[in-house]
């Protein structure tokens, strides 16, 4: 006997097919990223780091023009990552593009150094004072290894290592504010202030070491909560005094 609509479980054959789930179709494979992208990014990052070291040490001299092919030969790579790294340095103000020739190393003047120091002090000193009022004394111990790293680099006269360690200390200090934009802007200004002076003067080992020791002195003042000392040390260290802003390694 054929089932009727009154029978339990009856299903009208006219709709049975429509209610069956559609067969699954294979999804198209996800696009595969070219393997060369990470490698190219890595090469560009390595070239950028090497160029920054060369700028900090004076290997690339202010006022001199360097071609991408010549630099590529020096670093054992193709000109493309060199050009990309140089464009990054152009955006940071460390070099300038010279049409049909390459890139000229920019050198700041005494006025440039003083202005950068003034802006950095206006930005960082109030932030450091706020931290001095709110951060527990024991938190400053976390920055001691970074301060020691600047002393280690300065004691052997390694300008490139000191420049990197110096940025690391200030970055960690301002990170405690929780303000990411402040950290980014301050580090950009810091890099610009580390550009060698146009006249070619660079700090010697003694000057680098004196600057590095100021990091530890600032931490001591922060631990003790001495706001007057914190403001004085931070302002002095950042070179807001024109006599302290010439070499630009803080």
């Amino acid at each position: 006997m054929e089932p009727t609509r009154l029978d339990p479980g009856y299903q009208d054959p006219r709709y049975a097919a429509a209610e069956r789930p559609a067969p699954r179709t294979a999804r198209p494979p996800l696009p595969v990223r070219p393997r060369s992208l990470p490698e190219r990014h890595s090469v560009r990052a390595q070239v950028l780091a090497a160029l920054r070291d060369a700028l900090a040490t004076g290997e690339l001299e202010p006022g001199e023009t360097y071609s991408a092919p010549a630099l590529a030969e020096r670093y054992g790579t193709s000109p493309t990552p060199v050009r990309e790294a140089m464009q990054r340095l152009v955006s940071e103000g460390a070099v300038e593009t010279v049409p049909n020739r390459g890139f000229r190393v920019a050198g700041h003047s005494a006025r440039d150094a003083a202005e950068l120091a003034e802006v950095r002090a206006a930005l960082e000193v109030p932030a450091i004072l706020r931290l001095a009022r709110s951060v527990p004394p024991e938190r400053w111990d976390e920055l001691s290894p970074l301060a020691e790293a600047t002393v280690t680099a300065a004691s052997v006269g390694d300008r490139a290592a000191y420049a990197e360690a110096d940025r690391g200390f200030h970055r960690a200090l301002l990170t405690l504010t929780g303000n990411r934009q402040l950290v980014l802007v301050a580090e950009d200004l810091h890099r610009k202030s580390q550009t060698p002076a146009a006249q070619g003067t660079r700090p010697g080992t003694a000057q680098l070491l004196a600057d590095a020791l100021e990091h530890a002195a600032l931490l001591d003042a922060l631990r003790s909560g001495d706001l007057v000392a914190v403001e004085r040390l931070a302002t002095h260290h950042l070179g807001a005094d024109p006599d302290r802003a010439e070499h630009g390694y803080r």
Side-chain angles (χ1 to χ4, degrees):
M1 177 182 294
E2 294 292 332
T4 67
R5 295 179 184 273
L6 298 178
D7 293 330
Y10 174 81
Q11 186 175 22
D12 192 325
R14 292 175 299 174
Y15 303 105
E19 292 179 1
R20 294 194 193 101
R24 292 186 178 181
T25 57
R27 294 182 179 180
L30 294 174
V32 178
R33 294 183 181 276
R35 293 179 181 271
S36 60
L37 286 181
E39 181 179 352
R40 176 177 171 181
H41 175 76
S42 176
V43 171
R44 180 177 58 188
Q46 291 173 16
V47 171
L48 179 60
L51 289 171
R52 281 178 171 156
D53 286 349
L55 289 169
T57 59
E59 182 182 345
L60 298 181
E61 298 182 3
E64 293 296 321
T65 300
Y66 300 88
S67 70
L71 290 172
E73 184 176 357
R74 176 185 299 189
Y75 296 119
T77 185
S78 67
T80 298
V82 173
R83 291 191 183 95
E84 292 172 345
M86 277 297 196
Q87 288 300 333
R88 173 68 178 270
L89 294 173
V90 168
S91 70
E92 295 175 2
V95 300
E96 304 164 344
T97 302
V98 181
N100 301 320
R101 293 185 59 193
F103 301 90
R104 180 188 298 117
V105 178
H108 62 230
S109 64
R111 177 175 178 176
D112 294 331
E115 290 176 348
L116 283 167
E118 183 179 354
V119 174
R120 285 189 68 200
L123 188 68
E124 295 188 39
V125 173
I128 294 173
L129 285 172
R130 289 195 298 272
L131 291 173
R133 297 185 182 97
S134 60
V135 174
E138 60 272 15
R139 288 293 305 277
W140 300 117
D141 293 338
E142 299 173 9
L143 273 65
S144 291
L146 299 175
E148 292 170 4
T150 65
V151 174
T152 299
S155 63
V156 295
D158 190 336
R159 294 185 179 90
Y162 179 78
E164 183 177 354
D166 185 34
R167 290 194 307 273
F169 174 84
H170 285 270
R171 185 190 311 118
L173 176 61
L174 294 178
T175 296
L176 292 175
T177 65
N179 189 326
R180 295 172 299 172
Q181 298 304 316
L182 170 64
V183 174
L184 290 173
V185 172
E187 182 154 15
D188 181 57
L189 290 170
H190 198 163
R191 284 192 186 280
K192 289 179 179 179
S193 71
Q194 290 177 331
T195 302
Q199 62 270 29
T201 59
R202 295 182 182 86
T205 300
Q207 182 63 66
L208 284 179
L209 187 56
D211 291 342
L213 292 172
E214 290 177 354
H215 294 141
L218 178 59
L219 287 180
D220 288 341
L222 287 165
R223 286 190 192 94
S224 65
D226 187 341
L227 299 182
V228 174
V230 167
E231 183 173 16
R232 174 176 53 81
L233 287 167
T235 302
H236 181 71
H237 178 69
L238 292 171
D241 178 354
D243 292 335
R244 293 273 296 167
E246 291 183 356
H247 65 70
Y249 270 76
R250 297 174 195 76

